[in-house]
C-alpha cells in the first residue's frame, strides 16, 4: 500500500515539474511565432505589399501570439497578461505594435529589420532557457517525489 502511494506521489511531483517547465516551452513558442510573423511581414512589405491582416492570417491561429497581435492591430490598449511572459516581453510587444501598419513601406521595412534583431536575440535566449530550465524542473519534481517516497517507507 505504501509503495503504491509512494509511486503516485512520485508521479504527481513529476507532473508538477513538467507543468513548471512547460512555461519555458510556451515562451519559446510565443517568440517563434513572433519572429515568424515579423519575417512574413518584412517579406510582405518588401515584395508583395500585402496588408498586415493578410500577413497575420499566414501564422498559426492557435498560438497566444496570434491573439496578442490581433488585439494590438485592432487598437486594444490593454491585453491580458500571460504567466510565462516577463515584463520586458510586454515592453517589446508594445514597442513593436505601436507603429506597425501605420507608415509607408520604407518605414515599415526599417522597423521590421530593427525588430528582427531583437526578436532573433529573444528567440535564442528563450531556446537556451528552455534547454536549461525545463529538464531542471522535471528532475527536481522527480527528485522531490523520490524523497517523499523514501520518507513514507
Amino acid at each position: 500500500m505504501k509503495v503504491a502511494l509512494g509511486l503516485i506521489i512520485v508521479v504527481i511531483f513529476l507532473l508538477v515539474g513538467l507543468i513548471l517547465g512547460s512555461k519555458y516551452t510556451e515562451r519559446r513558442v510565443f517568440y517563434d511565432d513572433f519572429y515568424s510573423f515579423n519575417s512574413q511581414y518584412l517579406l510582405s512589405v518588401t515584395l508583395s505589399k500585402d496588408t498586415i491582416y493578410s500577413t497575420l492570417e499566414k501564422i498559426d491561429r492557435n498560438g497566444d501570439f496570434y491573439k496578442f497581435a490581433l488585439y494590438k492591430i485592432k487598437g486594444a490598449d490593454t491585453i491580458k497578461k500571460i504567466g510565462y511572459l516577463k515584463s520586458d516581453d510586454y515592453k517589446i510587444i508594445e514597442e513593436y505594435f505601436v507603429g506597425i501598419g501605420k507608415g509607408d513601406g520604407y518605414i515599415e521595412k526599417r522597423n521590421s529589420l530593427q525588430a528582427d534583431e531583437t526578436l532573433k536575440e529573444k528567440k535564442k535566449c528563450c531556446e537556451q532557457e528552455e534547454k536549461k530550465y525545463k529538464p531542471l524542473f522535471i528532475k527536481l519534481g522527480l527528485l522531490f517525489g523520490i524523497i517523499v517516497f523514501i520518507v513514507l517507507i
Side-chain angles (χ1 to χ4, degrees), residues 20-141:
L20 291 174
S22 70
K23 77 178 188 176
Y24 294 99
T25 302
E26 292 170 346
R27 189 165 178 254
R28 180 195 48 81
V29 167
F30 181 87
Y31 273 103
D32 284 345
D33 290 345
F34 198 168
Y35 183 75
S36 173
F37 171 77
N38 187 58
S39 299
Q40 288 286 335
Y41 187 64
L42 183 59
L43 283 173
S44 296
V45 167
T46 306
L47 301 175
S48 64
K49 310 294 187 216
D50 285 343
T51 64
I52 193 166
Y53 291 107
S54 63
T55 305
L56 190 59
E57 294 299 317
K58 295 176 185 175
I59 65 169
D60 180 24
R61 294 182 185 188
N62 296 325
D64 288 329
F65 176 74
Y66 177 80
K67 296 170 192 166
F68 269 63
L70 199 57
Y71 288 133
K72 293 308 285 181
I73 290 169
K74 289 185 176 181
D77 292 331
T78 58
I79 45 181
K80 187 177 123 183
K81 302 288 184 190
I82 294 181
Y84 60 83
L85 291 178
K86 300 176 182 175
S87 61
D88 65 326
D89 296 332
Y90 290 106
K91 184 179 175 185
I92 290 171
I93 293 166
E94 291 291 331
E95 289 174 358
Y96 183 82
F97 284 106
V98 163
I100 196 167
K102 296 177 177 76
D104 63 355
Y106 175 75
I107 292 171
E108 294 292 324
K109 183 178 177 183
R110 185 190 69 201
N111 291 343
S112 289
L113 285 172
Q114 288 174 346
D116 189 62
E117 291 301 317
T118 304
L119 293 175
K120 202 180 289 186
E121 182 180 308
K122 289 297 280 186
K123 182 180 168 188
K124 183 179 178 185
C125 178
C126 289
E127 288 170 352
Q128 289 173 346
E129 285 180 354
E130 181 186 20
K131 286 180 185 176
K132 184 176 11 174
Y133 293 119
K134 186 175 180 181
L136 177 70
F137 280 111
I138 293 170
K139 290 173 186 174
L140 283 174

